[in-house]
Amino acid sequence: MSSELSVELLVIGWGKAGKTLAKRWAATGRSVAMVEKSPQMYGGTCINIACVPTKDLIVSAQRRRPQDDPQEYFTQAVAGRDSLIGKLNAANHRMLEGQAELVDGTARFIGPRKVAVDTADGELIITAETVVLGTGAVPARPDIPGIDLPRVYDSTSIQHADPLPQRLAIIGGGFIGLEFAQMLQHFGSQVTVLDSGEHFLRRAEPVVAESVHQVLTEAGVVVRQSARVQQIRQDGEALVLELADGQVQADAVLVAAGRTSAAADLNLEAAGIETDDRGFVAVDDQLRTSAEGVYAVGDVNGGPQFTYISLDDHRIVWDQLIGSGQRSRADRVAVPSTTFLTPPLSQVGMGPEEAVRAGHSVLYAAKDVASIAAMPRPKIVGETDGVITFTVDAQTRQVLGASLFCIDSQELINLVALAIRVQVTADELMNGIWTHPSSTEALNEVLGEVQPYPGEAV
């Protein structure tokens, strides 16, 4: 027999946006229910299976010494990862415990703003004035024969690979695949990246892509372009990946072919909620779905799949519920991103080609980190790999974009992003007084060398 619950706000999915909305809503004295289908996901994707645990493993991999046994070291690193994530998971549960109605179970819509939740104690019917969907995304599974074989992992399951594969093939040459490629190479695996694209990191500036490629290959990672996997098959203890022009043998495979919406089981049609052609919940710039009183936040709405975007999604929805309703996704300018390679690759704004297409007269600079005299920090810590680029408007001298493949770039990119948003000029950054020795000092030198972009009259 079903039980029933009525609340003012129902949040489905314990991600960054959902949990922050639930906590703020509960603090006003209003009623809120939080539904999460897995206790292992309290706190959402980022802290449990993505950003935090993978970066923890990356740091562990960087610290492995040549004399450390790969399997033993990896096992210890995974145990450390699990200990950290367990603490964060529990802390997230405590954050809402006693403030919101917490429901463990799988939700599905049975009508407008009405869901049925299958729990261990039976079915619970929840009706709400407002519903927020935050169920996230899951690894995509390409239609490749053999993709369901044992030891074919995704970005979640590879974190507990047992044993650590001596030979690992990665299907996908995007940022997720490259993070794992370098991480697992550092742990002791021999990694081959199979990228179906013709060009390595085709969306990156060519000089940046070349530098990333060099760092990976010098570390021992094999990268193959135009490598489309047609089949995976078992051959004794090995997995064989059949390509159009040959084959690759491996002990394990990581499928890193992007992520897709985790909304398929929500029975969205019952609530009149539409999806886009990729299966993500369709929203407007205020994150409203096609159903009145229902919002979609975080990865499930098809926007950039970053935790900080999910946090900003919460601000937009909060403004709709409590504020003036003026906040919008259209307000976002110069959103930075970082891929946690070693060194990290951080990017914001436009590259030179994009800036030219947008009608700008462009000044551009690109300089290898090892040759930046005003930036001694990489030499001090022994991490001189990488390149730094800046794209600048020749008329206004405002920074249009940057790619920072260097130590500390995950911090430095935030300064550059802020400069773009508030229209600080390249000259102000170039003439800035920065602490020494710091990575920020690169601004003094690199921005002093911007030149007309090749082939363009300024």
Side-chain angles (χ1 to χ4, degrees):
M1 183 175 180
S2 299
S3 56
E4 296 190 7
L5 173 68
S6 180
V7 293
E8 292 167 282
L9 175 66
L10 167 62
V11 179
I12 305 175
W14 206 312
K16 185 67 173 180
K19 69 184 181 184
T20 311
L21 279 166
K23 184 175 177 61
R24 292 185 70 180
W25 189 265
T28 68
R30 297 175 172 91
S31 59
V32 55
M34 167 70 80
V35 176
E36 174 56 58
K37 68 178 181 180
S38 171
Q40 282 71 51
M41 293 299 290
Y42 296 151
T45 297
C46 175
I47 71 160
N48 288 292
I49 59 173
C51 320
V52 176
T54 57
K55 305 317 171 275
D56 182 76
L57 289 173
I58 286 170
V59 170
S60 294
Q62 291 168 349
R63 293 174 176 170
R64 189 179 78 86
R65 303 166 300 179
Q67 64 267 34
D68 291 324
D69 176 74
Q71 180 61 63
E72 181 180 348
Y73 188 88
F74 180 70
T75 300
Q76 293 174 350
V78 171
R81 169 227 184 265
D82 292 349
S83 176
L84 170 64
I85 299 315
K87 293 174 183 176
L88 295 177
N89 180 282
N92 271 264
H93 192 273
R94 289 195 300 272
M95 183 180 79
L96 290 177
E97 199 169 14
Q99 300 184 58
E101 186 74 31
L102 304 181
V103 182
D104 292 337
T106 302
R108 67 184 187 283
F109 282 94
I110 57 175
R113 299 190 302 280
K114 188 174 185 178
V115 303
V117 185
D118 295 323
T119 77
D121 298 322
E123 187 178 66
L124 173 64
I125 306 298
I126 305 178
T127 304
E129 296 175 13
T130 301
V131 178
V132 174
L133 298 179
T135 52
V138 294
R141 302 288 287 181
D143 186 17
I144 299 174
I147 201 167
D148 295 323
L149 284 170
R151 291 180 285 120
V152 177
Y153 299 102
D154 60 27
S155 59
T156 299
S157 58
I158 190 70
Q159 297 174 48
H160 290 92
D162 187 20
L164 173 71
Q166 292 185 6
R167 300 171 299 171
L168 175 70
I170 298 180
I171 300 175
F175 292 128
I176 293 176
L178 296 184
E179 276 193 4
F180 277 102
Q182 192 183 52
M183 174 216 296
L184 288 159
Q185 186 81 25
H186 285 162
F187 272 127
S189 299
Q190 173 55 59
V191 178
T192 300
V193 176
L194 303 173
D195 185 356
S196 63
E198 182 179 352
H199 301 289
F200 179 75
L201 286 183
R202 63 182 179 85
R203 290 190 176 89
E205 295 168 37
V207 67
V208 176
E210 180 181 355
S211 184
V212 173
H213 190 275
Q214 178 179 342
V215 166
L216 290 173
T217 55
E218 286 182 353
V221 176
V222 175
V223 181
R224 294 181 58 172
Q225 300 302 135
S226 301
R228 294 185 177 275
V229 178
Q230 299 177 334
Q231 179 185 2
I232 307 170
R233 60 180 176 84
Q234 189 91 35
D235 185 5
E237 294 297 315
L239 292 172
V240 179
L241 294 89
E242 299 288 355
L243 311 176
D245 59 350
Q247 58 180 223
V248 172
Q249 291 197 1
D251 302 303
V253 176
L254 167 61
V255 180
R259 295 176 68 82
T260 189
S261 168
D265 298 329
L266 288 170
N267 194 29
L268 299 175
E269 297 84 357
I273 300 170
E274 297 176 358
T275 58
D276 64 18
D277 56 4
R278 300 178 299 155
F280 291 93
V281 177
V283 294
D284 63 13
D285 276 346
Q286 278 72 43
L287 305 178
R288 295 174 294 209
T289 71
S290 55
E292 183 179 355
V294 181
Y295 299 84
V297 295
D299 296 354
V300 78
N301 67 27
Q305 295 183 8
F306 302 125
T307 296
Y308 44 93
I309 292 295
S310 184
L311 179 63
D312 195 57
D313 280 358
H314 123 267
R315 298 186 188 113
I316 293 172
V317 174
W318 184 260
D319 191 48
Q320 290 290 307
L321 300 179
I322 301 296
S324 64
Q326 298 304 303
R327 273 188 176 271
S328 166
R329 291 197 297 182
D331 300 331
R332 295 171 181 160
V333 176
V335 176
S337 66
T338 295
T339 303
F340 283 85
L341 301 168
T342 305
L345 168 61
S346 301
Q347 302 174 95
V348 69
M350 295 184 285
E353 294 289 345
E354 184 181 358
V356 169
R357 290 195 297 270
H360 294 274
S361 295
V362 173
L363 300 175
Y364 181 71
K367 194 161 190 177
D368 290 338
V369 169
S371 66
I372 303 176
M375 183 190 184
R377 175 162 160 73
K379 299 178 178 68
I380 293 170
V381 299
E383 292 188 22
T384 57
D385 290 326
V387 64
I388 292 177
T389 78
F390 278 95
T391 301
V392 176
D393 184 277
Q395 307 303 322
T396 65
R397 304 285 293 182
Q398 289 174 359
V399 177
L400 300 174
S403 290
L404 312 177
F405 182 41
C406 65
I407 185 173
D408 300 328
S409 73
Q410 77 278 11
E411 303 292 347
L412 183 55
I413 199 68
N414 292 319
L415 172 63
V416 178
L418 179 62
I420 295 174
R421 286 196 290 270
V422 299
Q423 299 184 338
V424 169
T425 66
D427 302 293
E428 290 175 283
L429 291 177
M430 178 185 66
N431 294 318
I433 301 173
W434 315 117
T435 57
H436 176 81
S438 71
S439 295
T440 318
E441 292 176 291
L443 302 178
N444 297 137
E445 184 167 327
V446 179
L447 284 169
E449 300 183 9
V450 292
Q451 297 291 327
Y453 188 62
E456 182 198 4
V458 177

